[in-house]
């Protein structure tokens, strides 16, 4: 994974925003969340604006500290973070049984780290869907450097309203991205629509586990911290996630400070650090997972549905 350096981090905070617009974006983003007077209904009603502001503000922080792939991965003994990230991405490709020449959709692709890794691993053509202009610009630059600009592309669009015809893709995946959707059923229905019949969608989803108690104040606080630091309107439970997939029409198969940075940058760092505390506490208490894996299939025209229990 690349590390663009401190200069890139400082000068890139805010993405496509003008330097003087960064602090206003920080304040507006913070107001979407409960700590600062917002509520869940407002976050869901304005999710596109909220998520765009979030990724304009945090993308350079993510790339500096995490690399090109903005997601978690468990690590085997003796394995580096980079190796774990790659294995995590290869697992998606293998579960989808990707084959050379297939047309694949990456839903909520970030700057395309998984897109590039999976495209090279499986020799497929991948379209990254993203509603953030800065991330797409960065992704295209990285695709060119990797020599993938002829086979992989990006489309700027809302994953609640995809600009693709029905039955367009041989496979689809999302890595810790559809958690941003204000309506899981609506998002999954769009993915279902653009998949060819009989083809599969795999994802790692952010979910509250069955151990989460909505009446427990400490659990509620941890959930809010995660939502604040990660641009989420709400975090679904694993049960809600599975039910949304069923309602969308899928068959459930396998579940498992030098003046360089603009004003407001330090507050972005602060809510990311607060989120880290929530993620740690949520994992320690077993009430949250960022890697709830599922593999589902759009039914064939002549098939009957079947279900399996999730983990």
């Amino acid at each position: 994974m690349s590390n663009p350096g401190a200069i890139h981090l400082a000068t890139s905070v805010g993405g496509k925003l003008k330097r003087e617009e960064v602090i206003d974006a920080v304040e507006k983003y913070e107001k979407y969340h409960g700590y600062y007077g917002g509520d869940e209904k407002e976050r869901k009603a304005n999710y596109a604006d909220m998520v765009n502001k979030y990724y304009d503000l945090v993308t350079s922080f993510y790339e500096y500290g995490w690399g090109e792939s903005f997601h978690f991965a468990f690590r085997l003994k003796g394995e580096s973070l980079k190796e774990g990230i790659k294995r995590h991405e290869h697992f998606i490709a293998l579960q989808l049984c990707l084959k050379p020449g297939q047309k694949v959709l990456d839903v909520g692709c970030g700057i395309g780290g998984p897109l590039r890794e999976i495209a090279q691993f499986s020799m497929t053509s991948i379209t990254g869907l993203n509603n953030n202009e800065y991330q797409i610009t960065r992704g295209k630059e990285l695709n060119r450097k990797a020599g993938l600009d002829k086979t992989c592309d990006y489309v700027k669009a809302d994953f609640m309203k995809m600009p693709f015809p029905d039955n367009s893709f041989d496979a689809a995946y999302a890595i810790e991205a559809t958690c941003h959707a204000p309506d899981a059923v609506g998002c999954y229905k769009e993915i279902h629509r653009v998949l060819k019949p009989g083809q599969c969608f795999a994802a790692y989803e952010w979910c509250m586990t069955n151990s989460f108690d909505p009446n427990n104040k400490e659990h509620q606080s941890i959930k809010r911290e995660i939502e604040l630091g990660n641009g989420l309107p709400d975090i679904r439970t694993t049960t809600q996630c599975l039910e949304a997939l069923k309602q969308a029409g899928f068959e459930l198969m396998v579940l498992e400070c030098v003046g360089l940075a603009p004003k407001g940058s330090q507050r972005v760092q602060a809510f990311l650090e607060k989120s880290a505390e929530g993620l740690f506490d949520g994992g320690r208490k077993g009430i949250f997972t960022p890697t709830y894996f599922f593999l589902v299939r759009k039914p064939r025209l002549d098939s009957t549905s079947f279900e399996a229990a999730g983990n």
Side-chain angles (χ1 to χ4, degrees):
M1 292 178 290
S2 67
N3 185 317
I7 299 297
H8 174 85
L9 169 63
T11 57
S12 299
V13 171
K16 290 288 185 178
L17 297 172
K18 295 178 181 177
R19 290 174 61 84
E20 61 271 18
E21 295 174 337
V22 170
I23 187 62
D24 289 337
V26 172
E27 290 175 351
K28 189 168 184 180
Y29 173 74
E30 289 174 339
K31 287 178 182 177
Y32 281 128
H33 284 271
Y35 290 145
Y36 302 96
D39 60 26
E40 182 181 324
K41 288 184 179 179
E42 184 180 7
R43 294 198 298 273
K44 288 185 174 180
N46 298 282
Y47 80 96
D49 181 58
M50 180 186 71
V51 174
N52 254 303
K53 282 183 168 52
Y54 175 77
Y55 280 112
D56 274 336
L57 293 169
V58 307
T59 293
S60 61
F61 284 89
Y62 273 26
E63 192 177 353
Y64 176 78
W66 208 256
E68 295 175 19
S69 295
F70 302 163
H71 63 79
F72 289 94
F74 70 87
R75 293 164 62 183
L76 302 177
K77 185 176 181 180
E79 186 177 56
S80 68
L81 175 61
K82 181 177 181 179
E83 290 167 340
I85 291 284
K86 284 191 174 186
R87 178 177 42 75
H88 204 66
E89 293 164 357
H90 292 176
F91 180 80
I92 284 265
L94 292 170
Q95 292 300 308
L96 287 170
C97 299
L98 298 184
K99 298 177 178 62
Q102 284 187 322
K103 186 178 180 183
V104 181
L105 177 64
D106 181 330
V107 183
C109 61
I111 61 173
L115 178 154
R116 286 180 289 280
E117 186 63 38
I118 292 173
Q120 291 172 321
F121 179 71
S122 61
M123 294 184 288
T124 52
S125 174
I126 303 182
T127 295
L129 184 76
N130 193 325
N131 205 28
N132 184 269
E133 185 179 352
Y134 172 67
Q135 288 196 334
I136 287 179
T137 300
R138 181 67 178 148
K140 286 181 177 179
E141 178 186 350
L142 293 169
N143 275 16
R144 284 192 295 271
K145 290 180 179 180
L148 293 172
D149 50 314
K150 298 294 190 294
T151 57
C152 296
D153 63 350
Y154 297 89
V155 172
K156 185 180 185 300
D158 185 343
F159 53 36
M160 302 297 293
K161 301 173 184 177
M162 297 187 194
F164 306 119
D166 295 356
N167 311 320
S168 295
F169 294 95
D170 298 303
Y173 66 85
I175 302 179
E176 302 178 28
T178 49
C179 51
H180 291 292
D183 171 20
V185 175
C187 178
Y188 293 154
K189 277 185 175 180
E190 273 294 272
I191 296 169
H192 183 279
R193 180 183 66 79
V194 302
L195 269 177
K196 295 177 182 178
Q199 302 308 307
C200 293
F201 166 49
Y204 292 113
E205 188 70 276
W206 285 38
C207 291
M208 305 309 295
T209 71
N210 291 335
S211 297
F212 172 72
D213 179 0
N215 297 314
N216 183 305
K217 290 185 178 180
E218 184 182 12
H219 288 192
Q220 291 174 349
S221 177
I222 290 170
K223 181 173 179 285
R224 285 196 300 269
E225 287 177 354
I226 296 170
E227 289 166 348
L228 167 67
N230 295 279
L232 305 180
D234 184 34
I235 306 176
R236 295 175 283 278
T237 65
T238 54
T239 301
Q240 290 171 329
C241 178
L242 297 186
E243 185 58 34
L245 288 163
K246 292 179 188 178
Q247 289 183 38
F250 282 109
E251 296 175 340
L252 307 186
M253 297 174 61
V254 183
L255 308 174
E256 292 202 344
C257 269
V258 290
L260 288 172
K263 186 178 180 182
S265 303
Q266 197 158 357
R267 281 164 67 176
V268 176
Q269 180 182 346
F271 66 65
L272 289 176
E273 289 175 350
K274 192 67 175 175
S275 168
E277 295 173 11
L279 291 167
F280 176 81
D281 289 339
R284 180 172 55 82
K285 292 182 177 295
I287 64 172
F288 169 75
T289 174
T291 55
Y292 184 64
F293 178 79
F294 60 78
L295 174 67
V296 293
R297 182 174 66 192
K298 180 175 180 176
R300 295 186 177 91
L301 297 179
D302 59 348
S303 71
T304 57
S305 297
F306 61 92
E307 300 178 3
N311 294 313

